[in-house]
């Protein structure tokens, strides 16, 4: 997914991204989180700012709780 550095990415954006990674790679939520940390954030969780990182964490927690 292409990302523009000018905006804050939403929780909905990351929930959709997590679901895409989970389905396309047959990952569980933890594996998807690791994959996105390395590939989307390039290992730097604040590369897109604190608000975007917060959206990422919130989406992760939402899906982790819902996929139990």
């Amino acid at each position: 997914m292409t990302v523009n550095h000018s905006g804050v990415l939403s929780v909905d954006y990351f929930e959709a991204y997590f679901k895409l990674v989970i389905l396309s790679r047959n990952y569980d939520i933890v594996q998807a989180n690791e994959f996105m940390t390395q590939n989307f954030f390039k290992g730097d969780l604040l590369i897109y700012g604190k608000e975007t990182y917060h959206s990422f964490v919130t989406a992760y927690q939402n899906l982790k709780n819902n996929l139990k």
Side-chain angles (χ1 to χ4, degrees), residues 16-68:
Y17 201 146
F18 269 111
K19 290 175 184 177
L20 175 66
V21 170
I22 288 167
L23 290 173
S24 66
R25 296 185 172 269
N26 199 28
Y27 283 171
D28 62 29
I29 188 68
V30 174
Q31 291 170 311
N33 185 43
E34 292 169 4
F35 174 82
M36 290 172 66
T37 298
Q38 291 306 312
N39 292 283
F40 182 84
F41 288 102
K42 300 168 187 76
D44 179 2
L45 294 173
L46 297 178
I47 194 169
Y48 299 112
K50 290 180 183 178
E51 291 179 56
T52 292
Y53 174 65
H54 179 70
S55 294
F56 173 75
V57 171
T58 301
Y60 174 68
Q61 290 299 325
N62 288 349
L63 290 173
K64 190 175 177 184
N65 290 335
N66 290 332
L67 295 175
K68 286 184 177 179

